[in-house]
Amino acid sequence: MKQEFYPELSDSGLRIDKYLAQVCEGLSRSYLQKLLRSGQVLVNGSPVKASYAVEEEDLICLEVPEAVEPEIEPEEMALDILYEDQDVLLVNKPKGMVVHPAAGHTSHTLVNGLMYHCRGQLSGINGVMRPGIVHRIDMDTTGVLIVCKNDMAHSSIAAQLKEHSVTRRYQAIVHGVLKEDSSTIEGPIGRHPVDRKKMSINYNNGKPAVTHYRVLSRLKQFTHVECRLETGRTHQIRVHMASIQHPLLGDLVYGPAKCPVSGLQGQTLHAGVLGFIHPRTGEYMEFSAPLPDYFKHLLDTLA
């Protein structure tokens, strides 16, 4: 993609890498310096160094190469498969496993294992980086995840997710002792206005989100709850529980900066139940994943 820029008088004297970083949204200064070194930035028809000082009369031509998604390699790994047929696969994801690859992180993900297990029989709707993935759960969240093995199944499950007809029940341990036995949290979720890596209750730009919770057991300083998702926003349970001052135990993003339990990795959140209409048979199917050992141990020690 080629772009042209014409510096104004107020820009004169700026290093070209700094100038381009200001006018090119989404491109970092270090990446622009790489483009300058490879001759993909021309000033008045000639390549220049990053230290070049722009002038008002300059014609700057920038060529940004098309992004190339890396090829994802199948990897043999032990997958805890709860159910599988020609259309869908239900897997119990362990703690610490990333669901799909991202730039710079293309191995040891669930997708790598699925590609080996399914021998390429995965839906392609979400592209080469996310074959078969129609929804995801966070790296430190455990439990049931549905994988689609063809585009027909993918379209069906995606439509059910959009209609909020998929049953999704999670178990969590939250800070503090909840007074109500059950309640509903409503609050639109969107990007945090300051910290773009976080989500937040965002009434201006958020999407509607509803979480129903009920108490399973009250511990000394924590509460074991089940959360049922009516919607499925990014980090929904984590954001909603934090919004009522009961963040998830171990959640260093939305809860206390220091975890009170030594050695705990990430939030205590388990996708326990997933139910949906099978895309081929039209029958309702529901699957559950047992609580992981670390979660059961925490319930015993925190009681």
Side-chain angles (χ1 to χ4, degrees):
M1 182 177 64
K2 292 185 178 181
Q3 300 178 65
E4 293 184 351
F5 301 95
Y6 302 88
E8 299 178 359
L9 179 61
S10 59
D11 300 316
S12 296
L14 280 177
R15 284 173 55 107
I16 191 168
D17 58 342
K18 185 176 182 181
Y19 167 75
L20 288 173
Q22 292 176 355
V23 296
C24 297
E25 185 176 354
L27 298 182
S28 68
R29 191 168 174 180
S30 60
Y31 179 67
L32 289 162
Q33 289 169 348
K34 181 180 177 181
L35 296 181
L36 283 156
R37 288 194 297 271
S38 61
Q40 288 166 292
V41 181
L42 304 179
V43 177
N44 305 320
S46 301
V48 295
K49 295 182 178 180
S51 58
Y52 173 82
V54 303
E55 298 178 6
E56 184 185 6
E57 301 296 324
D58 284 341
L59 166 59
I60 301 174
C61 295
L62 167 67
E63 184 167 357
V64 180
E66 292 293 327
V68 178
E69 292 186 324
E71 185 175 343
I72 307 304
E73 295 292 333
E75 292 180 42
E76 185 175 7
M77 61 179 69
L79 298 176
D80 185 1
I81 296 173
L82 303 171
Y83 173 83
E84 181 177 11
D85 62 25
Q86 62 180 320
D87 300 305
V88 296
L89 181 151
L90 281 293
V91 62
N92 181 17
K93 189 191 82 66
K95 201 170 184 67
M97 176 182 274
V98 175
V99 170
H100 58 72
H105 186 88
T106 58
S107 62
H108 310 308
T109 71
L110 177 61
V111 160
N112 294 103
L114 290 169
M115 289 183 69
Y116 181 90
H117 177 82
C118 296
R119 303 294 194 276
Q121 308 245 320
L122 293 167
S123 67
I125 291 176
N126 272 346
V128 298
M129 297 287 273
R130 299 171 177 83
I133 303 302
V134 66
H135 74 120
R136 59 181 289 274
I137 52 180
D138 296 329
M139 178 178 73
D140 290 321
T141 300
T142 57
V144 192
L145 188 76
I146 187 169
V147 176
C148 297
K149 298 175 75 173
N150 53 60
D151 289 357
M152 179 277 291
H154 191 120
S155 297
S156 173
I157 299 301
Q160 293 179 55
L161 286 164
K162 188 175 182 179
E163 294 165 0
H164 312 310
S165 62
V166 175
T167 300
R168 282 182 288 179
R169 298 202 298 271
Y170 290 70
Q171 290 192 41
I173 300 175
V174 302
H175 282 266
V177 180
L178 285 160
K179 294 180 181 178
E180 301 86 359
D181 289 337
S182 62
S183 188
T184 296
I185 307 169
E186 296 187 54
I189 292 178
R191 286 287 167 192
H192 193 284
V194 177
D195 188 345
R196 305 301 292 173
K197 294 180 180 179
K198 294 173 62 175
M199 308 302 288
S200 67
I201 302 292
N202 189 325
Y203 287 96
N204 293 324
N205 301 306
K207 293 182 178 180
V210 180
T211 303
H212 307 280
Y213 73 82
R214 66 184 182 94
V215 171
L216 297 177
S217 63
R218 290 180 173 87
L219 312 171
K220 290 177 182 176
Q221 296 176 302
F222 303 92
T223 307
H224 178 204
V225 298
E226 179 186 77
C227 295
R228 180 173 64 84
L229 292 181
E230 188 170 310
T231 54
R233 309 305 177 198
T234 301
H235 296 176
Q236 179 172 317
I237 294 173
R238 298 168 65 186
V239 172
H240 270 174
M241 296 309 296
S243 74
I244 62 168
Q245 285 72 54
H246 292 282
L248 271 60
L249 173 62
D251 192 342
L252 303 185
V253 176
Y254 300 104
K258 186 175 181 180
C259 179
V261 177
S262 177
L264 179 59
Q265 176 187 323
Q267 68 275 357
T268 47
L269 185 61
H270 176 69
V273 176
L274 182 69
F276 58 95
I277 302 296
H278 192 281
R280 188 175 299 273
T281 68
E283 295 181 4
Y284 179 77
M285 304 182 76
E286 190 170 282
F287 299 91
S288 60
L291 278 176
D293 290 339
Y294 94 89
F295 201 118
K296 291 187 286 188
H297 177 70
L298 274 174
L299 291 176
D300 289 338
T301 57
L302 297 174

